[in-house]
Amino acid sequence: MKNYLGVLLFFCGSIALLTSCAPKPTSNSGTQTSSHADMEEDILSQINQYRRSKGLSALKLNNEISAEAEKHSQRMASGKVPLGHSGFSSRIQQIADHVGHISRSAENVAYGSRNAKEVVTGWINSPGHRQNIEGDFTLTGIGVASNSKGILYFTQIFVRKG
């Protein structure tokens, strides 16, 4: 059976789609699991390793941003919203209500039965996603959720306060 890794981004209206096969098996649960938390930590580690390799400062994980990213991943996984950036401005407003004024924000989303390395590699290999990763941001939040078939949905939100 062929599964696909789809990657979308929100930055100046550009969208990228990547496909691949040979998925890694995942949990069938639609709720947060320890493997999801581990994957979120792996994504952060790999993103920050990449940023440091480019002479950029590491992003600091923020719980409020991660909560919004998690909610969005859960909504996509449950089919309540399509894969994409529906509600992005509302997510940013919710985050601003907790962290203060936001001067810049962006979002990468992806789906597919993949591990953190493959998702981050896909984002880095996509010019628009890479632009978000290399952007002038200081905070991030990451959320992973799976649907009833075990397909994973990823959201990473990037924020600069100010």
Side-chain angles (χ1 to χ4, degrees):
M1 177 183 222
K2 209 174 204 187
N3 285 315
Y4 295 95
L5 166 69
V7 181
L8 294 173
L9 83 143
F10 183 79
F11 189 83
C12 300
S14 57
I15 296 176
L17 177 65
L18 306 174
T19 61
S20 184
C21 53
K24 178 178 180 178
T26 60
S27 163
N28 287 348
S29 169
T31 61
Q32 174 72 17
T33 66
S34 62
S35 65
H36 289 173
D38 291 345
M39 191 173 296
E40 291 162 6
E41 289 177 25
D42 282 351
I43 290 169
L44 178 64
S45 175
Q46 290 176 41
I47 292 289
N48 280 335
Q49 181 180 1
Y50 175 82
R51 285 178 59 89
R52 283 188 296 273
S53 78
K54 299 297 180 186
L56 302 168
S57 61
L59 298 171
K60 182 178 178 188
L61 190 67
N62 178 280
N63 290 335
E64 299 296 336
I65 301 171
S66 288
E68 289 301 315
E70 178 73 23
K71 286 181 207 170
H72 186 54
S73 291
Q74 288 174 355
R75 288 182 192 125
M76 290 187 297
S78 70
K80 291 180 181 174
V81 298
L83 178 71
H85 306 287
S86 178
F88 178 71
S89 60
S90 296
R91 283 190 290 288
I92 296 304
Q93 184 58 57
Q94 287 292 321
I95 293 165
D97 289 347
H98 290 96
V99 303
H101 179 72
I102 294 173
S103 62
R104 183 178 170 107
S105 60
E107 176 178 78
N108 287 353
V109 301
Y111 78 98
S113 299
R114 296 304 197 173
N115 62 43
K117 181 175 174 62
E118 290 171 328
V119 171
V120 172
T121 298
W123 283 339
I124 289 170
N125 288 335
S126 166
H129 295 94
R130 186 173 56 248
Q131 189 172 6
N132 288 347
I133 292 167
E134 294 176 357
D136 187 18
F137 301 110
T138 54
L139 301 174
T140 194
I142 301 165
V144 178
S146 58
N147 69 12
S148 61
K149 296 178 181 178
I151 298 172
L152 296 173
Y153 288 76
F154 303 86
T155 303
Q156 182 170 19
I157 300 173
F158 303 87
V159 168
R160 179 167 190 83
K161 288 175 48 175

